[in-house]
Each structure stands twice: as C-alpha cells, then as structure tokens.
C-alpha cells in the first residue's frame, strides 16, 4: 500500500518535532509549520533524507559552524533563514 501525501506530511512533521536535541526540535518545528506543505516531491525526498542525519550535524550546519553536504545546502539555507533567533540573534 502506498503512503498518501497527507500521511507522509504527518510522518515527516512528527519526525521533525521529536528529534532529541531541543534546539533541532524548535528549528524543525518552525520549518514544518511554515514550509513543509510547500515543498515539492523532490524537496520532500531530500528533507526526509536530511532527517536521517544526526542532530549534532544538523545543528552545526544550521548554526553555520560547519558546511553542510552540497546536496543539503539549499535546504539548510532555508532552515538557517527561518532559525534567526533560535541559533543566532535576529
């Protein structure tokens, strides 16, 4: 049975909000609240792959302490843009 688009968005939302590092919970929750439903199928695939990365790596990429892998660069830039006030002052 194929997962419906609605079910996939719900699953990704849940995976985004229960990460383990509180900062990533906040950053990803804000992102999914404002942008998840606007992502294309390809962007959703990339977002899902990114969610498999460690929280420590994700936080370092979003906070600008490390460069993300090229495949995630544009997605991380979007996360970083939304994370003003969460990872750095506004």
């Amino acid at each position: 049975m194929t997962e419906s688009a609605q079910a996939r968005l719900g699953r990704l939302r849940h995976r985004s909000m229960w990460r383990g590092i509180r900062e990533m919970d906040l950053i990803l929750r804000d992102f999914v609240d404002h942008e998840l439903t606007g992502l294309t199928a390809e962007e959703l695939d990339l977002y899902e792959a990114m969610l498999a990365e460690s929280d420590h790596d994700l936080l370092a990429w979003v906070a600008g302490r490390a460069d993300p892998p090229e495949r995630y660069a544009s997605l991380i830039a979007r996360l970083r843009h939304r994370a003003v006030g969460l990872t750095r002052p506004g």
Side-chain angles (χ1 to χ4, degrees):
M1 187 162 112
T2 303
E3 181 179 44
S4 71
Q6 187 77 4
R8 184 180 192 195
L9 291 175
R11 181 175 52 77
L12 292 175
R13 180 178 303 279
H14 186 270
R15 285 186 61 201
S16 298
M17 294 170 45
W18 301 101
R19 300 286 306 174
I21 294 180
R22 183 70 176 145
E23 291 88 344
M24 285 314 304
D25 292 348
L26 295 171
I27 291 165
L28 294 174
R29 179 183 307 157
D30 182 71
F31 183 80
V32 300
D33 284 349
H34 292 93
E35 299 200 31
L36 189 68
T37 59
L39 296 180
T40 66
E42 294 81 18
E43 290 170 327
L44 284 172
D45 291 343
L46 185 62
Y47 184 75
E48 187 164 5
M50 187 198 71
L51 289 178
E53 301 289 343
S54 83
D55 278 350
H56 295 284
D57 288 341
L58 287 173
L59 186 57
W61 300 337
V62 172
R65 294 190 302 262
D67 292 329
E70 185 60 35
R71 70 185 282 208
Y72 299 133
S74 64
L75 187 54
I76 295 296
R78 290 171 75 176
L79 284 163
R80 186 179 293 141
H81 177 75
R82 293 215 57 88
V84 171
L86 295 172
T87 62
R88 64 189 193 285

